[in-house]
Amino acid sequence: MTELSVVVLAAGGGTRMKSKTAKVLHRVGGRSMVGHVLAAVRTLEPARVVTVVGHQREQVAPHVQELMPEAVLAVQEEQLGTAHAVRMAADALGLGQQPGGTVLVAYGDTPLLRGESLQAFLADHRASGRAVSILSGVVGDPFGYGRIVRGAEGVVEAIVEEKDATAEQRAIREINSGILAFEAAFLADALGRIGNDNAKGEYYLTDTVALARAAGLPVGAHVIDDVTEIEGANDRAQLAALGALLNARVVGRWMREGVTVVDPATTWIDVDVELAPDVTVLPGTQLLGATVVGEDAVIGPDTTLRDCEVGAGAHVVRTHAELAVVGESADVGPFSYLRPGTRLGAGGKIGGFVETKNAVIGDGAKVPHLSYVGDAEIGEGANIGAGTIFANYDGVAKHRTTVGRHAKTGSNNTFVAPVTIGDGASTGGGTVVRGEVPPGALAVSSGPLRVIEDWAPRKRAGTAQAAAAQAAGGGPAGEREASHNDSSRVGDSAPGGGES
Ligand code: UD1
Ligand code: CA
């Protein structure tokens, strides 16, 4: 098999995106558009990949280098056409002297392109012995594309660009995807002979087809089944449309792998997410980044997980989580916010209106209600009372709180970090803990309850509050009659008033 080189063209501007972000860096399915193309290219195991950058290359070049460090970058200062772009890559491709092997050209803005399709195209090109092969597609509306002009018996004669086409040629619905495969020796020769005498005044790579035909070299087109794979996104509407198609593909794949997705239309799954069989995804759920979900887990409804790991059998309901780990059979939600560094143990619970950050919560430990847990370690089996705040920030620095195994802390506590609560310790309701509670101790910081009898009748006389108190037996006996004319007292409310 001959050596393969791949050129990815990503030098063009993205005017219609109207964005400060380079077009090929716009994302769908959790990856940039060029990231999708590079992933498809990687499946070909090419000997070398050259990416041509130009417009906004200060953004594009580092991104490509991060995704594919082995790729070579070639710079096209001015965008003078697709042939000119490939010429900028000629040295890196080794087209200088005695070139051999195959060169495949792809674009950086076709996010739906699949590796399998590129492989099939390349195999066809190699088996055919052609000088040039075109990956073509038959579309409903060919406007803007180069048309594949076929002669007698369907032999490919040329690619004619929209602006250079005759009315008759414009009616052709077989179009050039832009993905072309070349014998390197032919490409090296052809690049030097392509001119820019055409409607756009550009150097067209598509002119290689007519050049090969003129030289009597074989040319052909390989028609792709799914034309969405070769569609580029030029504006944000097209980007969203391609994103939806990509999502449908990913969601469909997981359903075939044994994942229940109740509502595919409102479920978004990034391409790098991993789901085990019998996971259930409920409506309105987004599984993003490198999220991994274990068997039998139930996610959603209305949940967003980015770069999270969810154990088998866990339930995550109406939750927003990022860089968090949820243990096996653990429970999260509804209305929970898990920030980076949250690690919930097996069988643990993070309940309603609880926010966590940098918090390791042990196996079977529970933070069930209305709490903030930041910079903390909670031992296995511990229970944190409702409405507890781990006050981790003193205005200057962050401090940690440790709660021991099987500790039980009361409701409405504040832990003013640094705090250590020992194994098996307890705290009373409303306690503010500063410092240390030894293992097994009970800490109580709120004072004894003070009750001032008959305060309302004396200090709020004549109000509904005072009337209610007196009707219930509060206040001196003589004053109770005085409230008879007060229409708002409890005794006047209509029967059935307690139903609401
Ligand atoms: C090109 C093809 C056309 C095909 C269509 C598919 C040519 C002459 N025409 O047309 O047959 O149907 O793509 O989408 O090849 N680029 C550079 N440097 C340049 C010019 C372009 O890197 O100087 C890159 C662009 O970033 C883009 C790709 O090449 O990724 C295509 O360029 P574009 O200008 O969009 O070509 P089209 O006119 O659409
Ligand atoms: Ca284009």
Side-chain angles (χ1 to χ4, degrees), residues 9 11-12 76 79-82 107 145-146 161 176-177 200 204 206:
L9 302 188
Q76 184 192 28
Q79 282 71 61
L80 302 179
T82 46
Y107 295 167
Y145 287 103
E161 294 303 302
N176 168 31
S177 68
K200 281 171 105 177
Y204 290 167
T206 46

Side-chain angles (χ1 to χ4, degrees), residues 277-422:
D278 285 319
V279 162
T280 297
V281 184
L282 299 174
T285 294
Q286 301 165 330
L287 303 176
L288 308 177
T291 292
V292 178
V293 182
E295 211 167 272
D296 298 321
V298 180
I299 314 294
D302 301 324
T303 291
T304 300
L305 306 181
R306 181 182 292 282
D307 300 323
C308 289
E309 197 182 312
V310 178
H315 286 219
V316 182
V317 182
R318 289 187 205 278
T319 289
H320 185 97
E322 225 166 293
L323 282 166
V325 178
V326 174
E328 278 185 26
S329 305
D331 265 301
V332 178
F335 307 107
S336 308
Y337 178 26
L338 278 54
R339 292 166 51 199
T342 297
R343 300 181 71 91
L344 176 62
K349 181 180 174 77
I350 294 175
F353 304 100
V354 172
E355 174 180 341
T356 60
K357 184 214 72 172
N358 267 339
V360 178
I361 301 170
D363 291 351
K366 294 183 165 64
V367 187
H369 329 275
L370 300 156
S371 294
Y372 171 64
V373 182
D375 299 313
E377 190 161 335
I378 298 174
E380 64 166 66
N383 190 84
I384 305 300
T388 295
I389 303 300
F390 286 59
N392 57 329
Y393 185 49
D394 61 13
V396 179
K398 302 274 170 76
H399 303 281
R400 293 191 66 81
T401 292
T402 306
V403 177
R405 297 167 54 241
H406 299 283
K408 309 280 175 213
T409 65
S411 294
N412 193 27
N413 277 201
T414 302
F415 302 149
V416 184
V419 158
T420 303
I421 293 170

